[in-house]
Amino acid sequence: MRASTRDRVATVISEIGGPSPLLLVGLLEVGLPTGAVLPTLISVFTMAVAPYGATIWLARAGKVDGRFVADRSQRMPILLATLVVVIAGAVAVVLLQAPSSLVRLSVAAVAALMIVMVITLRWKISIHATIAAFFAGLQVALFGPIGLIAMLIPLLVVWARYRLRAHTAGQLIAGLALGAALALSYALLG
């Protein structure tokens, strides 16, 4: 592949394997089989749709440097606003007495955001890698050994983010480690 073709492929992988699309799929996988439609839809909106939509709007309005907010200094206000919305969604899930699997996923989203925010004060961890690793671990927790196929997702996402020079190898590895730890916590608490 030519360099520009590789960059286009990496951009597509970054979009499809981004935090919001992966969280959307994970939330639907966890919530809908339980019959908890309203809590699932609230989770999807607060944890995936609203943050992604807001970031796209901010990027188009020129308020941030792009959908993926590469400039670390621009990330904190977005992460803070996202945390407020995600906490509101998590509280709604609890108040609606959603199944424990959806509550655990909501708690994992809040924990992930808080950890990423602390790290972002000093360093730029890869949120893409974090969520991709968490998503892959979630697939294993939900589907057993067949879910191991999803391990390709974080590998592709890491390649894409590195290819686009969005992160250093260290930032990507740290994101993978955080996501794996969160997925393990989710599985062990289940």
Side-chain angles (χ1 to χ4, degrees):
M1 276 192 255
R2 293 185 335 221
S4 60
T5 302
R6 285 191 204 112
D7 288 346
R8 284 194 298 272
V9 169
T11 299
V12 169
I13 291 169
S14 289
E15 289 287 352
I16 294 170
S20 290
L22 293 180
L23 281 173
L24 185 141
V25 171
L27 288 161
L28 292 173
E29 289 174 328
V30 168
L32 289 182
T34 68
V37 175
L38 181 59
T40 300
L41 293 177
I42 289 170
S43 296
V44 164
F45 180 76
T46 59
M47 295 177 202
V49 174
Y52 192 55
T55 305
I56 290 171
W57 179 81
L58 289 168
R60 287 188 178 163
K63 306 285 184 191
V64 294
D65 63 1
R67 283 186 312 283
F68 301 134
V69 193
D71 183 347
R72 187 176 57 88
S73 68
Q74 294 177 341
R75 284 182 165 202
M76 193 55 69
I78 292 168
L79 291 172
L80 280 169
T82 300
L83 181 62
V84 169
V85 174
V86 169
I87 288 174
V91 168
V93 165
V94 170
L95 291 175
L96 290 169
Q97 300 176 346
S100 66
S101 57
L102 193 55
V103 171
R104 286 192 338 265
L105 188 50
S106 299
V107 169
V110 171
L113 266 171
M114 292 175 81
I115 293 167
V116 163
M117 287 173 67
V118 169
I119 293 170
T120 298
L121 291 172
R122 294 269 187 215
W123 198 53
K124 185 181 157 195
I125 191 168
S126 173
I127 299 170
H128 271 77
T130 299
I131 300 303
F134 177 79
F135 179 81
L138 178 65
Q139 301 312 297
V140 175
L142 294 174
F143 303 112
I146 194 74
L148 290 169
I149 294 168
M151 293 299 167
L152 291 172
I153 294 169
L155 296 176
L156 288 169
V157 167
V158 164
W159 170 81
R161 304 306 290 153
Y162 190 78
R163 171 73 194 176
L164 296 172
R165 294 175 194 82
H167 292 284
T168 66
Q171 292 165 342
L172 291 161
I173 291 167
L176 289 173
L178 175 57
L182 289 164
L184 184 60
S185 298
Y186 174 87
L188 292 176
L189 293 173

